[in-house]
Every structure is written in structure tokens, then in C-alpha cells.
Amino acid sequence: MSSSSSKPASQPPPPSTSTGSLFPSEVLLYSTSSSPTQVGSIGVTSLSSPSSTSPLLSFKGASDPAPHSIDLIPSSTSPANAGLGGLVLQLERSKAILNVYSWQRDHPILRIVLPQRLSSLSLSPGGQYCCAASQDGRIFLWELSTGILLSSFDAHYRPITVIRWSSDASCLVTASQDARILVWSLAGLLHPSQQSSSSITSSSNNPTPYCTLSDHNLPVTDLCLGSGDFPNSLTIWSSSLDGSVKMWDVRTRSLVSTFLFPRPIQCLSLDPTERFFFASSSPPSSSSSSTSSHRIYRVDLFRKTDIPVPPPTSTLTSGGYQHPRSQSRTMTTTTTTAVWQARGGGEQGQVERFSEEDEDEEGGGGGRRKRAEEDEDEDESRERRRLGGWIKMDQAITSLCLSQSSTQLCVGTSGGLLHLIDVSTSQILKTVNLTGNSKSNGGPSTNAVTNLRTLSRPRDLLVLSEMVGSNPSSNTNLLPIRPISNFGREIQTESSGLEHHRFPTRIQAEEGEEDQDPLLDFIDPILSNLSARNQPLPSPLPPSSFIQTSPPPSKGHEEIKTKRSLEEEVENLRSQLNRAKKVNDEIWKTLVRKTTNQSVSSSTS
């Protein structure tokens, strides 16, 4: 037998057992501002190996993105609508223009002209609504698929700094430089009776906010919303230039706790499970700007505390049993147990202060902390470091973002640097210059990182290598681009047919209705009324009916369309008549001129 026949047949390699191959990779959407020497940028890079020189995708046409001026819609792979591609929306800082990007292209698929220059932007979690705000405190609410302007009103007295949606898209929260936080119910904003005027500049009959949260003394800089539903379990976290981070309970419309810092707070990032939050500080105006003035505070919202346990009492006798007349002896022991308690929420409105001495103790590496650790055991000092602290940065912090697993903190600085920090150890894992200019590492740069967002890699994301030298349309991962229309400039009222437009509403199941079909969570308002009155619901609708944005036109809507078409036809006939009159006048003038010339020539002869 030959040696070749003795060799075993080649077999395919075993499948990879890496857990990373089972889940989509995580990417980072970032933006940098413009400077006199370099234009701002918007790009997508891998979170595991970020790079500015070779990003996954770099969007073209970006013009100086401002903070809170970019938002995204992840790609949908729901079987109900066969999947839709995601979008990235960006407001231009100096123009009334909204750039719309897709994960499948590196240039804008649409440029929308806005009613006025807007400063902040936020998209609802389902990608159905777009809310934007202006510098004069006005709010605009559009429906993305149709471009209908649903609401426009004056909400704040000063510029709006940030807008946030709740996780169930039932409310939106706005914060402003007037130190107020307003919570708006989506149902109230969509009610046609509260929009009495179609003028953009009209401020009469403004919608009433669900609640007003006002306890800050200086402008509010950032907002974070918990994962609870509106209004029963929703919590709001706000930061301000007054050096405080406040926690609000929407259900009771009250302040729960306050965390007071020695420096103004600029950015805020909250863990999705609300275990901890990070807050970045800017140097006080009275102190000189130094490398030690820029800090990121970490505050753990739960801490382990020892509480006494009632001592157990036992009565023993020499015979092993208790006799009612026997003289017994009582044995008592004092014990304690460790429990986790909420930090800063002991009493309503409780204030927890973080002074300069606390910074040295809890994470700053000062002399007080060093002396304290000399007297403590290694386990106790490790526990104290884990409960909180702060991280020193060399440049001003302009943006914060946590990874989806809350294991890494992404920090953007005023010099265009991106720092990846391990949450458990507070160590900087990697630093990348997002401006793509290696020379700026040796000197200061003015291209600040203005926005950071983490998300799972979209299925239809086309990297630059796939766009060059290949046909993107041949990619099987492409999804239909989510429909989006040009934004309207006038509010749609009942006279313009808005009463025929349906807005899907989330209905919360009552107690004891656990077996309800999950598709009925998002149902038509007509079905919700039937369900509220315990009337039998109609037969289940096909999935396609749940994504229908508008019903068939009614008779009144047809009359409006017929009236508009007739008016357009009348205008067309008028223009034709005017052109015919001009031609007739020219013919008459020519005829008169010729007749006059002939009469003059005959008289002279």
C-alpha cells in the first residue's frame, strides 16, 4: 500500500467556537467639528479596533457637526416588513439644512431644507418621528415617512440644548439654557385640537407639558433617560453647569436625589441598568486651565453597607431540653451582614456632595487616599476604589458614550482624540486621533469630538473597500432604504385632512393579560378603544397592515384633492390666456405699424 493511500482524507476545519462569532460586532458613530485648517467629519469605526485613517465608512458632505445634532436609526431586520435600512441624520450648524445618510452610501441620499436653522435633533426609537429644536427655544415634530409637520411651538425661553425620547417612544424630554426640563407626552403633541394655527411662528395655544422639572440654577447640559416606560417607571438624569447631577421620578413628578460636584458638569452617560453613571467636568472659570482640571467622575448608585442583625437567642439546659422549672442560660451573639443600598436616594431630594477631599480619597491618587490605604487591608482598599472615583484627562471632555455591554467608556476630547477606557479598572486601553492628522498629536487641535454613539454593526453597512472597484448593488446584504420625505413647513390641521391620519400607539397590557398576542401591543387607536370597552376585537390583521402609515382616502379627502386639482387647472388656463393675449397684442402692433408705414409712403409719393 502506498504512503499516500495511508493518509486520512482531508476534512473541513471545525466550526469556530468563539462567542464573538455568534454576535454582531459593535461599531462607533463619531463626528468632529470644523476648524480653520480642517473640515469636520462623520464616520463609522469598529469599537474593537478604532481607526481614523481607515474607518469602516466616512460620510461625505458633513459640515461642522455640533453637539446633539446627529442621531441615527438602526437597520431593522424584522420579518414583518422584510427589513429596512437605517439612516443617519445630521443638522448643519450654519445653515437650515438637514443631511440624510444611509449605511449603504457615503454621500447624502437627501438634503432637506428646514424652516429655520436648528441646533439639536433626536429621533424616536422606532424611527417614526423626528424632533428638532432651535436656538430660540422652539420645537418641531415631523413624521419621517410622510414629512408632515405635526407640531411646532415655543417650549423654552432660551436655546434648547438637548432632546431625548423615552424607550417606548411615548414621550420626549427637552432641556434648555433656562435651567428647566420639560416632559412632553406624545399623545398631547399629536392632538389636532391643540394646534390651532398652521403658522410656524405662532405661539398661541401651545401644548401643555406633562410636567416641568426645575431645580437647576444654571443651564442644563445633558440628559439621560432610564429604560422604564412612560410614565410609571421612567427616571430622568440631568446634568448642569451648576455642578449637579439630579435624578427625577416622572411618575411622582419630583426630585429623587442630587449629586453635587465641585466643578461644572458638561456630559453625562448612564449605564442602561442604572448601576452607575459617568459625568465629565470642565475647569472652573476662576481657575487656570491645566491638565488636572479635566476629569470624569464615576458614581456607583449602589454601595455595600454593613447593617446589624438581631442576635439569635437560644435557651439550653444540661439535659439537652428545656424544662419549664429548670434554670437556663441565654447565649447571644452580635452579627452584621452586608447589603446593597441605593446611593443618594435615602430621602426625597437627598443631596450627596463630592468635595475635593472626597476626590483625593476615592480615585484621584492624592496623599489622603495614600495615607488611608496604608491603614486598610488590601481587600478594603480595593472595595473603596470600586465604589467610585474620577479619571484625569489631559484635554477637555466634549462627549461621552458607554458601549452596549457597559464594559468600555468612549471619551471624546476637544483635541479630536478618542479614549477607550475600561470601566472596571478605569485604565485607558487605547487612544485614537479621529481627525486623521498624526501631526496634531504633538500640538493642540481644535477639531473637537462632538458626538459619539455605539450600536451593533448594521447588516447593510458597506465599508469603503466594498465601495471602491465593486458594484454595491450586487451585495446581498442591502436592505430597502427606510422611506423619508421632505419636511413640511405648515402644521397639518383637521381642515387639511390630519384627522384621517393614523398614529400607532403603544397599549400597556392590564394585569392578568399575560397571554395577549404581542402584536396587539402596537395597534390602531380604533382597536384600542374596542379593547378598552371589552368589546370583541376583529380578526387578526396581517403584518403588512401594522406598517401602513395612512388609511385609504375618505370622501372628504377626495373632495380636497379634487378642489386642489381644479384650482391648478384654473391657474394653468389663466397662464395660457395671458400668453394668447400677448401674442394677439404683438400681431396687432405689427399690423398697425405696417399700415402706418404704407400710408406715409403713399402720401410722400
Side-chain angles (χ1 to χ4, degrees):
M1 184 179 292
S2 61
S3 60
S4 60
S5 61
S6 62
K7 294 182 180 180
S10 61
Q11 306 219 351
S16 175
T17 58
S18 173
T19 57
S21 61
L22 302 177
F23 303 96
S25 59
E26 193 170 354
V27 296
L28 176 68
L29 175 69
Y30 65 89
S31 68
T32 59
S33 62
S34 299
S35 67
T37 59
Q38 193 171 359
V39 182
S41 63
I42 303 176
V44 180
T45 184
S46 174
L47 189 63
S48 58
S49 57
S51 174
S52 60
T53 57
S54 57
L56 297 178
L57 182 61
S58 180
F59 295 111
K60 299 178 181 179
S63 175
D64 194 14
H68 307 298
S69 66
I70 295 178
D71 207 352
L72 59 90
I73 304 175
S75 298
S76 171
T77 56
S78 173
N81 51 21
L84 288 175
L87 298 175
V88 177
L89 278 65
Q90 181 251 333
L91 291 172
E92 293 194 7
R93 190 191 294 247
S94 58
K95 300 178 182 178
I97 297 294
L98 175 65
N99 295 321
V100 182
Y101 297 93
S102 169
W103 303 116
Q104 307 171 17
R105 301 178 185 178
D106 59 348
H107 58 276
I109 61 174
L110 185 63
R111 290 173 63 88
I112 300 176
V113 180
L114 302 172
Q116 66 182 87
R117 188 163 55 90
L118 304 178
S119 57
S120 56
L121 172 76
S122 183
L123 300 173
S124 62
Q128 186 178 5
Y129 303 107
C130 173
C131 183
S134 62
Q135 288 288 338
D136 56 0
R138 193 169 187 83
I139 288 179
F140 297 84
L141 181 63
W142 288 279
E143 187 179 34
L144 279 180
S145 59
T146 61
I148 296 177
L149 180 60
L150 303 174
S151 182
S152 175
F153 57 93
D154 294 325
H156 292 269
Y157 305 111
R158 300 193 64 186
I160 297 176
T161 54
V162 59
I163 306 173
R164 291 284 187 264
W165 286 85
S166 61
S167 59
D168 58 355
S170 298
C171 80
L172 59 91
V173 185
T174 59
S176 171
Q177 293 184 8
D178 59 8
R180 295 190 307 156
I181 302 170
L182 302 181
V183 181
W184 306 90
S185 171
L186 181 62
L189 297 179
L190 297 180
H191 202 284
S193 63
Q194 298 202 18
Q195 304 296 332
S196 60
S197 175
S198 61
S199 174
I200 291 178
T201 59
S202 175
S203 60
S204 61
N205 293 337
N206 286 348
T208 303
Y210 177 82
C211 64
T212 301
L213 310 176
S214 56
D215 195 69
H216 287 289
N217 300 323
L218 292 177
V220 181
T221 56
D222 207 349
L223 288 175
C224 288
L225 271 62
S227 57
D229 294 336
F230 170 81
N232 294 331
S233 57
L234 180 62
T235 56
I236 299 175
W237 301 78
S238 61
S239 63
S240 173
L241 294 180
D242 58 8
S244 65
V245 174
K246 297 181 181 293
M247 177 185 176
W248 311 84
D249 185 9
V250 177
R251 182 180 61 86
T252 60
R253 299 177 174 89
S254 61
L255 175 65
V256 177
S257 58
T258 300
F259 302 89
L260 195 58
F261 299 90
R263 291 177 170 85
I265 302 299
Q266 294 284 357
C267 303
L268 189 65
S269 183
L270 176 67
D271 172 57
T273 58
E274 301 184 24
R275 298 171 299 170
F276 55 86
F277 70 83
F278 287 94
S280 65
S281 66
S282 59
S285 57
S286 59
S287 63
S288 60
S289 178
S290 61
T291 58
S292 61
S293 299
H294 312 292
R295 297 175 180 178
I296 302 175
Y297 297 95
R298 169 175 173 162
V299 178
D300 292 310
L301 300 177
F302 297 90
R303 54 185 170 188
K304 189 178 292 185
T305 307
D306 293 334
I307 61 174
V309 178
T313 303
S314 60
T315 305
L316 301 177
T317 62
S318 58
Y321 63 93
Q322 182 179 2
H323 192 274
R325 295 183 179 179
S326 63
Q327 187 177 3
S328 62
R329 63 181 184 273
T330 301
M331 300 179 59
T332 60
T333 57
T334 303
T335 60
T336 60
T337 182
V339 297
W340 289 96
Q341 291 183 346
R343 189 174 188 178
E347 298 178 359
Q348 187 173 7
Q350 179 180 355
V351 178
E352 184 163 348
R353 300 179 182 273
F354 294 84
S355 62
E356 298 288 347
E357 296 179 355
D358 295 334
E359 294 174 12
D360 292 338
E361 286 187 15
E362 294 190 357
R368 232 183 119 170
R369 172 184 168 187
K370 183 177 180 180
R371 290 192 302 269
E373 289 184 354
E374 291 178 355
D375 301 333
E376 294 179 348
D377 296 334
E378 183 178 357
D379 294 340
E380 293 179 356
S381 62
R382 187 184 301 112
E383 180 70 14
R384 293 178 72 253
R385 287 194 298 269
R386 192 185 62 78
L387 287 176
W390 55 268
I391 306 171
K392 182 180 70 175
M393 305 300 294
D394 294 336
Q395 297 179 352
I397 298 100
T398 55
S399 57
L400 289 178
C401 179
L402 277 168
S403 63
Q404 292 183 323
S405 59
S406 296
T407 57
Q408 292 184 2
L409 176 67
C410 305
V411 181
T413 66
S414 59
L417 299 180
L418 170 66
H419 301 282
L420 295 182
I421 300 177
D422 184 79
V423 172
S424 60
T425 62
S426 300
Q427 299 295 324
I428 298 179
L429 303 177
K430 192 171 185 180
T431 300
V432 179
N433 188 356
L434 294 180
T435 60
N437 185 7
S438 60
K439 294 182 180 180
S440 64
N441 289 329
S445 174
T446 56
N447 293 88
V449 180
T450 53
N451 294 275
L452 291 175
R453 287 287 300 273
T454 56
L455 71 155
S456 299
R457 175 167 177 165
R459 195 184 78 179
D460 57 337
L461 177 64
L462 288 183
V463 299
L464 294 176
S465 60
E466 296 176 358
M467 295 183 180
V468 179
S470 62
N471 185 14
S473 60
S474 61
N475 195 317
T476 58
N477 292 330
L478 294 184
L479 297 173
I481 297 178
R482 184 181 296 268
I484 183 172
S485 304
N486 288 315
F487 290 171
R489 291 172 170 264
E490 293 185 354
I491 298 176
Q492 299 291 327
T493 58
E494 295 183 2
S495 60
S496 57
L498 186 62
E499 71 276 9
H500 305 293
H501 195 80
R502 294 182 181 179
F503 301 102
T505 307
R506 186 176 182 88
I507 305 299
Q508 299 292 341
E510 298 181 358
E511 296 182 1
E513 298 182 356
E514 299 179 355
D515 297 331
Q516 186 178 359
D517 189 353
L519 285 179
L520 295 180
D521 286 344
F522 291 89
I523 60 179
D524 190 86
I526 298 177
L527 299 181
S528 66
N529 293 332
L530 295 175
S531 177
R533 285 175 277 180
N534 296 325
Q535 297 184 9
L537 296 176
S539 59
L541 300 177
S544 59
S545 63
F546 290 96
I547 61 174
Q548 183 178 357
T549 58
S550 61
S554 61
K555 183 178 178 180
H557 193 60
E558 288 290 337
E559 292 178 356
I560 295 175
K561 293 179 62 178
T562 304
K563 180 180 178 181
R564 291 180 179 176
S565 63
L566 291 176
E567 290 177 353
E568 293 176 357
E569 186 175 357
V570 170
E571 291 295 330
N572 189 19
L573 292 175
R574 286 180 180 175
S575 61
Q576 293 179 2
L577 179 61
N578 292 332
R579 289 196 298 269
K581 286 183 178 180
K582 291 181 180 179
V583 173
N584 189 23
D585 293 340
E586 290 295 330
I587 295 175
W588 174 255
K589 289 180 181 178
T590 304
L591 182 60
V592 170
R593 192 182 303 110
K594 287 183 179 181
T595 305
T596 305
N597 292 337
Q598 290 178 359
S599 61
V600 171
S601 60
S602 61
S603 63
T604 53
S605 61

